């Protein structure tokens, strides 16, 4: 038995001393990237290393931090991506097992009674056989085809891990954007409610002046119509707010309504920092998990060229078995019952009429295609970052202009109301000012929300938010995995080297204040108009309830039937009544009979 095993292993080891065919992987040449971003000359852009592990801390918003923590722990898409990593690692383990022989065992017992008429002389009528054996099958990886399979699978595992990080990065950004949208809807509801309360207060003055004959019916009708138009915009805002809350709940891996308690209190919009740190363009190679995943898949595809080239060469197999066989169980373990066999074999695809050559050409072509796809992805990532930075800078300017516009329109509204109350002007300037104040207060709220969203987009484009555990960032394994993969001139920051070693924001003390944290929540963090104390008291009764949407609608619905408070036939004092023409009778459309549903053949078959 020992002689047989020695022969088996010696034959295998002799044939294993081969080589790996196919090209060894060399990283793709780095595409031309700019040395700095195009907006670096603006004071809002700092070419410093950002703290991108927990970039959302720049908003200084505890509710946002709580929601993002829950998303990181409970999101179902993230869990699904984690199980894809598990599957890829299991597939790698199975591929590595192909390097070793497959060994199995079997045992049997047979009892045979032969016919007495046909029994040969000298043989027994009854015969029994005991059999036990071990078999082994081994494909010898002489030309490295299996090793190339393993190389490709290892790269696929790393790509899947980066896919997981990319899912986390996108989820963090989507959650922050959705949260900003929810706060924007809250702010817009506050703006509309404040505007409605102001218009109702001023409408009392219009009614008083109209009943005394100081104003025309046109002013009165325009004021009532303007109030109704503002109230009509409220339900759509509430609908968007509910959708944002439901989306946040689902991102947290929870049913709709879960996040309502967290969003119960109305808070101002998240305030964007006065400046952002963006580092250098080459850093996106090591930070963006989608770029890292594409580079790993390119490495896997390069290994598949070697797999295809190995088909040109012969394959060597060793099939062997040894066992015990005896007529009686007592004799099974005697030395004479030992049986063994060794069967080396060879297979070689000689005449394939170009099939192998064409397969190699196909794999080489796909590898070259993926190189250009990778370079294009890098350039598109640089474009995304630069666009996000430019958007941030321009939104900063837009917010400044809109803040000035809102202040001026509020002054114009106050002045026009004073002139109208004193009888020195008609109602048209008041009406225009009311519309412009509402319009530009909402535009300012949207611009501030877009500014905060642009910060989210910058950090997402830079590849931040996936390294939640900063302790394991920048390990030697990551450095060795990605070092020296780029031919020619390597970027300043090589992919994977010191990934996120700058650490989380909480531990960064070298960042400027305007970069590390958002500005204090100044008075302009809210865009709603300045209210009187009485209006603030009325507004407070509808702004801090758990069911904010429902409670707020009660406030709006109290004046739903405007004709009861401000009737269309209201007349000035001592003036003959002028009746408005009656409305045309409504046309009653008879209900049509619903068409009878036709039976579905598939469903009918299932019922049977």
């Amino acid at each position: 038995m020992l002689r047989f095993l020695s022969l088996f292993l010696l034959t295998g080891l002799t044939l294993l001393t081969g080589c790996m065919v196919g090209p060894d992987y060399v990283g793709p040449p780095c595409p031309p990237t700019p040395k700095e971003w195009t907006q670096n000359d603006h004071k809002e852009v700092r070419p410093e290393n950002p703290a991108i592990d927990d970039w959302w801390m720049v908003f200084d918003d505890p509710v946002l931090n709580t929601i993002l923590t829950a998303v990181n722990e409970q999101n179902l898409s993230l869990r699904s991506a984690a199980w894809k990593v598990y599957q890829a690692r299991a597939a790698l383990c199975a591929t590595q097992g192909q390097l070793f022989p497959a060994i199995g065992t079997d045992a049997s017992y047979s009892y045979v009674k032969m016919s007495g008429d046909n029994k040969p002389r000298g043989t027994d009528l009854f015969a029994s056989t005991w059999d036990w054996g071990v078999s082994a099958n081994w494909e010898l990886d002489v030309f490295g085809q299996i090793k190339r399979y393993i190389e490709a699978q290892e790269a696929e595992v790393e790509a899947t891990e980066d896919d997981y990080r990319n899912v986390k990065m996108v989820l963090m950004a989507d959650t922050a954007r959705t949260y900003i949208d929810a706060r924007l809807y809250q702010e817009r509801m506050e703006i509309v409610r404040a505007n409605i309360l102001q218009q109702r207060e001023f409408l009392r003055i219009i009614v008083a002046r109209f009943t005394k004959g100081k104003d025309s019916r046109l002013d009165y009708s325009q004021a009532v119509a303007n109030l109704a138009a503002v109230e009509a915009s409220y339900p759509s805002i509430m609908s968007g707010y509910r959708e944002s809350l439901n989306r946040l709940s689902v991102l947290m891996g929870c049913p709709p309504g879960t996040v309502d308690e967290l969003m119960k209190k109305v808070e101002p919009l998240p305030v964007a920092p006065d400046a952002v740190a963006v580092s250098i363009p080459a850093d996106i190679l090591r930070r963006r998990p989608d770029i890292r995943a594409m580079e790993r898949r390119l490495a896997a595809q390069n290994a598949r060229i070697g797999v295809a080239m190995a088909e040109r060469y012969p394959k060597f197999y060793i099939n062997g078995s040894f066992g015990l066989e005896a007529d009686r169980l007592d004799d099974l373990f005697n030395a004479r019952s030992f049986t063994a066999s060794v069967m080396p074999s060879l297979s070689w695809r000689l005449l394939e009429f170009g099939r192998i050559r064409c397969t190699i050409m196909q794999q080489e072509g796909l590898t070259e295609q993926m190189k250009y796809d990778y370079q294009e992805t890098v350039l598109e990532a640089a474009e995304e970052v630069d666009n996000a930075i430019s958007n941030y800078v321009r939104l900063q300017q837009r917010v400044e202009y809109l803040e000035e516009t809102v202040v001026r329109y509020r002054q114009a509204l106050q002045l026009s109301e004073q002139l109208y109350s004193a009888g020195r002007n008609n109602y048209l300037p008041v009406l225009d000012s009311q519309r412009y104040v509402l319009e530009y207060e909402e535009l300012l709220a949207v611009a501030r929300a877009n500014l905060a969203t642009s910060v989210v987009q910058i950090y997402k484009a830079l590849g931040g938010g996936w390294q939640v555990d900063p302790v394991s960032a920048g390990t030697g394994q990551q450095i060795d995995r990605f070092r020296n993969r780029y031919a020619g001139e390597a970027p300043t920051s090589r992919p994977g080297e010191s990934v996120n070693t700058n650490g989380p924001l909480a531990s960064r003390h070298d960042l400027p204040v305007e970069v590390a944290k958002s500005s204090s929540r100044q008075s302009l963090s809210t865009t709603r108009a300045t209210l009187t104390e009485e209006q603030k008291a009325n507004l407070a009764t509808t702004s801090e309830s758990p069911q904010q949407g429902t409670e707020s609608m009660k406030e709006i619905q109290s004046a739903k039937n405007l004709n009861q408070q401000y009737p269309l036939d209201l007349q000035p004092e001592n003036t003959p009544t002028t009746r408005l023409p009656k409305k045309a009778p409504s046309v009653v459309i008879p209900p049509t009979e619903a068409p009878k549903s036709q039976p579905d053949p598939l469903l009918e078959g299932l019922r049977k």
Side-chain angles (χ1 to χ4, degrees), residues 52 62 81 152 217 248 268 281 415 423 437 472 478 494 523-524 535 592:
I52 61 175
R217 178 181 296 278
L248 285 175
L415 181 60
V437 166
S472 62
Q478 290 174 321
R494 294 175 181 174
S523 58
L524 282 177
Q535 290 171 339
T592 57

Side-chain angles (χ1 to χ4, degrees), residues 588-594:
V588 179
I589 301 176
T592 57
E593 184 178 357

Side-chain angles (χ1 to χ4, degrees), residues 263-276:
M263 301 292 290
K264 172 182 176 180
K265 185 179 180 181
V266 178
E267 294 285 352
L269 285 165
V271 182
D274 299 330
V276 290

Side-chain angles (χ1 to χ4, degrees), residues 435-469:
R435 291 173 178 171
Y436 287 136
V437 166
L438 175 62
E439 177 184 355
Y440 282 93
E441 281 182 349
E442 288 199 80
L443 286 176
L444 177 57
V446 173
R448 284 181 175 148
N450 290 340
L451 179 59
T453 303
S454 70
V455 176
V456 176
Q457 185 61 28
I458 287 175
Y459 285 111
K460 174 181 175 291
L462 289 174
W466 57 265
Q467 187 65 55
V468 176
D469 182 12

